[in-house]
Amino acid sequence: MSLDQIREHVEKNKEQYLETLFTLLRQKSISTQNIGMEETSAMLLNILEEIGMDSRLIETQGHPVVYGELMNEANDFTLLIYGHYDVQPADPVEEWNSPPFEPTIRDGKIFCRGAGDNKGQLMAQILALKTYQEVIGDLPINIKFVFEGEEEVGSPNLVNFVSENRDLLKADLVYTSDGPMHESGAPFVLLGVRGMLYVELNAKGADWDNHSGNKGNIAPNPAWQLVELLGTMKDDAGNILIEGFYDDVKKPTANEEELITTLPYDAKQVADQIGYKGFNMTREEYYRKLTLEPTLNIAGFHSGYGGEGSKTIIPSTAMVKMDMRLVVDQDPDDIFEKFTKHVHKHAPGIEVVRHGSMKPSRTSPDMKVVQVVKEAVKEAYEENPVLQPSLGGSLPDYVWTQILGVPSVIVPYANSDEANHSPNENLDVDKFLKGIVCTCSGIRSFGK
């Protein structure tokens, strides 16, 4: 099979493929507000059935999973493709340059909520199967689709779904297209994600705010309690001082260390992206800190008066919200226990509240299947992909590597400036069409 045949077919059917995507984009599916979820899952089920997949809705404690499979006993390889059909709310609507649920093409980009995250990338996978069948015929591998409706609310039921359906989901590789491509514009192959733990600290002083003159040095200030506590958690070099925090951090392999020396890097571009002119990390330092090391971050600090002018008070309460990005083999439960122990040691009266967590995940770059993915992506884009050991952010990738026990890769199809979760979310038309070709290239390569 020549990929040129696939490219020609995709280009020939471009308008039809775009309209299929637009139909899905117009259907709202806002999981946080439970808007359109039932209608969208039914629509997606119908689309899978139309391309010949054995499909069904699988109920969860929340929104259903849309499952489809195309199986052939003669095929030796099974690929499980994961995506999600829920989207973020469109707010603030007034900042959109076109209606958020009416797909609009401007400057070669599709502007619509869900265009990049994740309906456009999800649809590229579906249309790849349709394209392959129409151009080549029977698939050389087995395909399973898992499209959930709760990714935007933290995938609260995905763990149970995977645990309860291990036999149904059995596969040789999980393939996800989500998120943006590398900022350099190169195609991306990600081998994992960092995990996350989110906590809140609450400090209490007097029963109400007091006058800072009349009661200064008398009433306790809970903000100082938190400031002093936070000062015990990191040293001047940025090392985390919570006892045992680094105990389970898995040392990167030589191959993973080598990978980060080959990744595209522009320090000025990074400085511009984050809005910090003082940024001056080397390539190796940047990628090691971003993908292979854990973090301890203050996400918010609130206490006392923050309005216009002045108000001289001793606040009665103070609150800090913190997130920790974790790397393999750190466990959020273990880190929460160590974090809580540290707080109780240094500030016994502080309340610790756990808001959420996600385990980290990483697939070894030494696996043969990873090299197959890399070559398939290279052939599709006619460009070497960026192979990165981990994403700085967090996705529920661990359900595949740790619960299902299958290697997992993430190959984003959206442009790096897709503005997912923001007003004017978009997807390059060309990137959408190349995503279809990329999945076809993968199907061909896995079948060899």
Side-chain angles (χ1 to χ4, degrees):
M1 168 195 119
S2 167
L3 280 185
D4 288 338
Q5 295 174 272
I6 295 292
R7 292 187 180 97
E8 290 171 7
H9 188 83
V10 169
E11 183 61 32
K12 180 181 177 181
N13 291 276
K14 173 181 174 180
E15 297 305 321
Q16 177 193 332
Y17 286 1
L18 286 173
E19 188 51 43
T20 300
L21 171 59
F22 289 0
T23 300
L24 186 62
L25 289 174
R26 291 186 184 106
Q27 174 57 60
K28 295 181 181 180
S29 53
I30 307 172
S31 53
T32 57
Q33 301 168 353
N34 196 20
I35 295 175
M37 300 306 295
E38 183 178 342
E39 294 85 348
T40 308
S41 59
M43 178 183 290
L44 200 50
L45 180 69
N46 184 61
I47 292 171
L48 296 187
E49 289 174 343
E50 286 180 351
I51 63 169
M53 299 198 82
D54 179 10
S55 308
R56 62 187 182 275
L57 297 182
I58 302 178
E59 297 299 327
T60 71
Q61 292 297 312
H63 303 305
V65 168
V66 182
Y67 176 81
E69 63 179 26
L70 204 55
M71 307 291 288
N72 184 334
E73 291 183 359
N75 294 334
D76 296 325
F77 190 92
T78 299
L79 181 68
L80 190 156
I81 295 177
Y82 163 78
H84 63 93
Y85 63 88
D86 63 324
V87 303
Q88 285 278 319
D91 305 282
V93 176
E94 65 274 10
E95 293 188 15
W96 286 77
N97 295 327
S98 53
F101 288 99
E102 180 52 48
T104 305
I105 295 180
R106 296 193 304 274
D107 301 321
K109 293 183 176 182
I110 306 161
F111 288 85
C112 192
R113 174 57 86 224
D117 187 18
N118 181 243
K119 289 178 178 176
Q121 304 197 56
L122 174 157
M123 187 56 68
Q125 311 282 19
I126 296 172
L127 292 175
L129 264 65
K130 176 181 172 65
T131 298
Y132 197 101
Q133 290 173 310
E134 290 177 352
V135 175
I136 309 301
D138 293 338
L139 301 183
I141 64 172
N142 299 317
I143 295 281
K144 296 178 179 180
F145 280 148
V146 171
F147 299 139
E148 72 157 320
E150 299 181 312
E151 195 272 347
E152 299 294 4
V153 291
S155 302
N157 294 294
L158 189 61
V159 170
N160 286 341
F161 169 77
V162 174
S163 299
E164 294 167 3
N165 292 280
R166 282 191 179 92
D167 290 340
L168 178 69
L169 303 177
K170 187 177 180 182
D172 296 291
L173 176 71
V174 175
Y175 186 101
T176 300
S177 293
D178 198 356
M181 299 172 76
H182 195 269
E183 59 256 25
S184 67
F188 219 175
V189 177
L190 286 161
L191 301 181
V193 297
R194 289 197 290 194
M196 200 256 297
L197 173 65
Y198 200 100
V199 299
E200 176 181 318
L201 299 175
N202 291 300
K204 178 77 167 58
D207 288 340
W208 48 76
D209 294 348
N210 279 274
H211 190 290
S212 66
N214 294 341
K215 296 298 183 289
N217 290 338
I218 306 301
N221 190 320
W224 280 115
Q225 282 184 275
L226 288 181
V227 169
E228 291 163 4
L229 171 61
L230 293 172
T232 69
M233 293 185 178
K234 270 191 173 185
D235 64 19
D236 293 340
N239 298 305
I240 299 167
L241 302 177
I242 296 169
E243 187 175 350
F245 191 89
Y246 294 107
D247 283 356
D248 296 316
V249 173
K250 187 176 181 179
K251 184 179 179 181
T253 65
N255 199 349
E256 288 168 339
E257 290 277 12
E258 175 66 22
L259 273 182
I260 65 176
T261 68
T262 65
L263 296 173
Y265 180 66
D266 184 329
K268 183 181 182 305
Q269 183 183 40
V270 175
D272 291 341
Q273 282 180 336
I274 64 177
Y276 177 54
K277 293 181 180 179
F279 176 83
N280 63 353
M281 291 183 186
T282 65
R283 180 199 317 265
E284 290 75 11
E285 186 180 11
Y286 171 73
Y287 280 110
R288 186 177 291 108
K289 287 183 177 294
L290 183 66
T291 67
L292 300 175
E293 295 180 4
T295 71
L296 178 68
N297 176 58
I298 300 171
F301 194 133
H302 302 276
S303 184
Y305 181 70
E308 293 185 15
S310 60
K311 185 179 182 182
T312 53
I313 61 164
I314 303 169
S316 61
T317 61
M319 181 268 287
V320 165
K321 291 193 175 183
M322 306 182 73
D323 66 81
M324 288 155 264
R325 300 291 170 162
L326 310 177
V327 297
V328 289
D329 290 313
Q330 288 180 299
D331 182 87
D333 294 339
D334 176 65
I335 295 299
F336 179 72
E337 184 178 327
K338 290 171 178 174
F339 179 87
T340 303
K341 184 177 180 181
H342 182 94
V343 172
H344 290 166
K345 175 182 177 181
H346 294 275
I350 302 295
E351 177 192 29
V352 183
V353 180
R354 179 173 178 171
H355 281 297
S357 64
M358 189 174 291
K359 292 182 179 181
S361 171
R362 195 185 305 161
T363 292
S364 171
D366 300 324
M367 296 187 71
K368 181 180 178 181
V369 72
V370 171
Q371 299 308 311
V372 175
V373 172
K374 183 180 177 181
E375 287 303 312
V377 173
K378 178 182 177 181
E379 290 181 21
Y381 288 92
E382 300 177 292
E383 180 181 357
N384 280 319
V386 173
L387 186 64
Q388 189 169 299
S390 179
L391 183 69
S394 304
L395 290 169
D397 192 57
Y398 76 96
V399 301
W400 314 120
T401 58
Q402 296 182 32
I403 297 176
L404 194 60
V406 174
S408 173
V409 297
I410 302 165
V411 184
Y413 291 165
N415 36 293
S416 60
D417 58 348
E418 64 169 327
N420 48 335
H421 293 204
S422 301
N424 301 306
E425 178 180 347
N426 65 88
L427 176 65
D428 279 356
V429 172
D430 184 57
K431 294 287 192 296
F432 169 63
L433 300 176
K434 283 186 176 179
I436 299 172
V437 175
C438 188
T439 299
C440 287
S441 180
I443 291 171
R444 179 183 69 168
S445 297
F446 296 131
K448 290 181 179 178

